[in-house]
């Protein structure tokens, strides 16, 4: 027999949404486990070796900052292919453009 309750069909659940959430959760758990493992190893090395472990990390950080500053400000006058010249030419272009011009003149 016909019944109003049997006429309405419920849509199937969106399984793709749950799969995406599950995959994101699994990736998050893997990243959390890897970072946690590395943090424990780093902490143990700091505790056990002290200055013998932290000095090379400090020198690596300082040398990285110095070398990146040299690469940023490296000036190649003949080729003008450095980041410094790019920033200078772009800044002059922005300053030299003056005020904004209207889109249409009519």
């Amino acid at each position: 027999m016909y019944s109003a309750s049997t006429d309405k069909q419920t849509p199937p659940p969106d399984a793709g949404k749950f799969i995406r959430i599950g995959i994101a959760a699994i990736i998050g758990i893997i990243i959390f486990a890897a970072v946690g493992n590395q943090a424990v190893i780093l902490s143990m090395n700091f505790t056990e070796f002290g200055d013998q472990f932290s000095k090379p990390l400090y020198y690596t950080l300082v040398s990285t900052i110095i070398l990146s500053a040299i690469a940023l400000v490296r000036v190649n006058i003949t080729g003008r292919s450095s980041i410094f010249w790019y920033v200078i030419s772009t800044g002059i272009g922005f300053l030299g453009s003056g005020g904004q011009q209207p889109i249409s003149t009519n």
Side-chain angles (χ1 to χ4, degrees):
M1 292 249 155
Y2 177 76
S3 167
S5 64
T6 59
D7 186 35
K8 295 180 182 176
Q9 298 273 338
T10 59
D14 188 14
K17 178 181 176 183
F18 296 121
I19 291 173
R20 284 189 298 258
I21 292 173
I23 290 173
I26 290 172
I27 291 172
I29 290 170
I30 290 171
I31 290 173
F32 181 75
V35 169
N37 183 28
Q38 291 301 313
V40 167
I41 291 173
L42 184 68
S43 172
M44 289 172 62
N45 282 330
F46 271 123
T47 303
E48 185 173 349
F49 298 112
D51 283 343
Q52 289 179 339
F53 185 76
S54 62
K55 277 188 180 179
L57 290 178
Y58 173 73
Y59 292 141
T60 302
L61 180 66
V62 169
S63 64
T64 302
I65 291 172
I66 291 171
L67 289 175
S68 64
I70 289 171
L72 180 67
V73 183
R74 177 185 64 96
V75 178
N76 183 358
I77 296 174
T78 58
R80 297 188 183 204
S81 61
S82 65
I83 296 173
F84 179 76
W85 284 114
Y86 174 76
V87 170
I88 293 293
S89 64
T90 304
I92 290 172
F94 280 136
L95 293 176
S97 65
Q100 294 186 359
Q101 299 177 358
I103 294 174
S104 63
T105 56
N106 54 0

